[in-house]
Amino acid sequence: MSQPLATTPSLQAVTESIIFPPGDIYSDEPPLESDLHREQIDLLIRLIKWWWRDRQDFYTTGNLTIYFSPNQKKSEEFRGPDFFVVLDTEKKDRKSWVVWQEDGKYPNVIIELLSNSTASVDKGLKKQIYQNTFRTPDYFWFDPNNLELQGFHLVDGQYQDLVPTESGWLWSQQLGLYLAVYLGKLRFFTPDKQLVMLPEEEANQQLQQVNQQLEQTNQQLEQERQRAAILAERLRAAGIDPEQIF
């Protein structure tokens, strides 16, 4: 007597039933809109990493998928912010941010870069997800083309518009830094309004300071040389050979 054929589960059913071990879920983000967007994201990441280079309790990246399915499935709930920072976590490289493998943590700060194809989603659906699901305290969007900058802070579960300073700067409570447009780029500034610089910018500033000090020293030496020349002429006029004094 023939045996009944075993039912073979579909590939999709098998895939979705798998609970992936830590680090095995790769990011799945589309290409960036332009070089301008990529350069801005890279700049923000480098700035935070350099500013907090002595800290080991944060993670920052950009254009990386955040998986947050309550069923722990990578095919269900996911978003890819252009830039985000997670505080009170281990500083290490990741293939993606998987909420259920990261003690349930979501980003503390998110920055989306607007474009013609993403602006409506960034200002609508994503804002609602970051407010209601992620509960991300600080959310900003920035348009690299027209330099539009707007920010929000979570208050009693609702995003409230951040009020810019007279210079148009926005304060990030989570970062302890201002966000502002500087030379056509979104940059960070310290509470005392100093630009957060890249390592090469710091080195260039230090070199400029050294050159200024050298210039001041050379000016002082030239002034002393001129005084010595004047004194020597006066001594000669009085019949005294300056070379015989010492």
Side-chain angles (χ1 to χ4, degrees):
M1 183 173 181
S2 61
Q3 297 295 324
L5 295 176
T7 301
T8 302
S10 68
L11 177 61
Q12 181 179 357
V14 172
T15 301
E16 291 188 351
S17 68
I18 296 175
I19 302 299
F20 289 82
D24 267 5
I25 304 181
Y26 283 88
S27 178
D28 187 25
E29 292 308 300
L32 295 171
E33 292 287 331
S34 67
D35 286 343
L36 197 60
H37 287 74
R38 175 180 53 79
E39 290 167 1
Q40 177 66 78
I41 292 172
D42 290 344
L43 175 62
L44 294 173
I45 294 171
R46 291 188 63 206
L47 286 169
I48 289 297
K49 284 185 174 181
W50 181 246
W51 179 246
W52 285 345
R53 56 192 177 275
D54 296 327
R55 291 179 54 170
Q56 301 298 322
D57 61 347
F58 75 97
Y59 176 68
T60 184
T61 191
N63 197 40
L64 195 83
T65 304
I66 296 175
Y67 294 101
F68 57 100
S69 165
N71 298 316
Q72 299 188 9
K73 296 179 180 179
K74 72 169 187 177
S75 60
E76 289 187 348
E77 300 287 349
F78 54 90
R79 286 289 163 184
D82 290 324
F83 170 84
F84 66 89
V85 178
V86 184
L87 302 177
D88 299 319
T89 190
E90 184 180 358
K91 184 180 180 182
K92 65 178 183 179
D93 292 336
R94 292 168 169 86
K95 298 174 182 177
S96 61
W97 184 267
V98 185
V99 170
W100 61 87
Q101 296 172 355
E102 300 284 356
D103 299 323
K105 290 182 179 293
Y106 287 90
N108 294 76
V109 179
I110 290 177
I111 300 175
E112 292 286 5
L113 302 183
L114 304 182
S115 67
N116 292 335
S117 63
T118 65
S120 60
V121 175
D122 293 334
K123 295 181 178 183
L125 177 61
K126 281 191 174 181
K127 183 184 176 187
Q128 291 301 312
I129 291 175
Y130 299 156
Q131 171 186 273
N132 300 331
T133 303
F134 284 24
R135 315 290 289 175
T136 294
D138 289 347
Y139 175 47
F140 302 86
W141 65 58
F142 174 67
D143 191 322
N145 292 299
N146 63 25
L147 308 185
E148 175 189 348
L149 174 62
Q150 191 165 351
F152 308 88
H153 183 68
L154 198 65
V155 179
D156 296 329
Q158 299 293 317
Y159 274 141
Q160 303 295 322
D161 288 17
L162 290 173
V163 179
T165 67
E166 293 182 359
S167 302
W169 295 18
L170 298 176
W171 176 252
S172 171
Q173 185 184 90
Q174 297 293 298
L175 296 178
L177 297 170
Y178 284 104
L179 279 75
V181 180
Y182 175 77
L183 299 178
K185 297 289 187 182
L186 183 62
R187 299 291 299 258
F188 299 114
F189 289 80
T190 65
D192 58 354
K193 309 296 181 66
Q194 298 299 308
L195 178 69
V196 174
M197 292 186 287
L198 297 169
E200 59 267 29
E201 291 174 328
E202 289 186 2
N204 184 59
Q205 184 185 65
Q206 293 172 356
L207 180 60
Q208 290 179 348
Q209 292 174 346
V210 170
N211 288 336
Q212 289 175 355
Q213 292 173 352
L214 287 174
E215 185 177 351
Q216 291 174 355
T217 300
N218 289 335
Q219 290 176 352
Q220 292 172 353
L221 290 173
E222 178 60 21
Q223 291 172 355
E224 293 300 325
R225 187 194 67 78
Q226 292 176 1
R227 291 193 187 97
I230 292 172
L231 178 59
E233 286 299 320
R234 290 177 179 174
L235 289 173
R236 292 190 185 96
I240 302 173
D241 184 357
E243 301 295 335
Q244 303 298 320
I245 295 178
F246 301 101

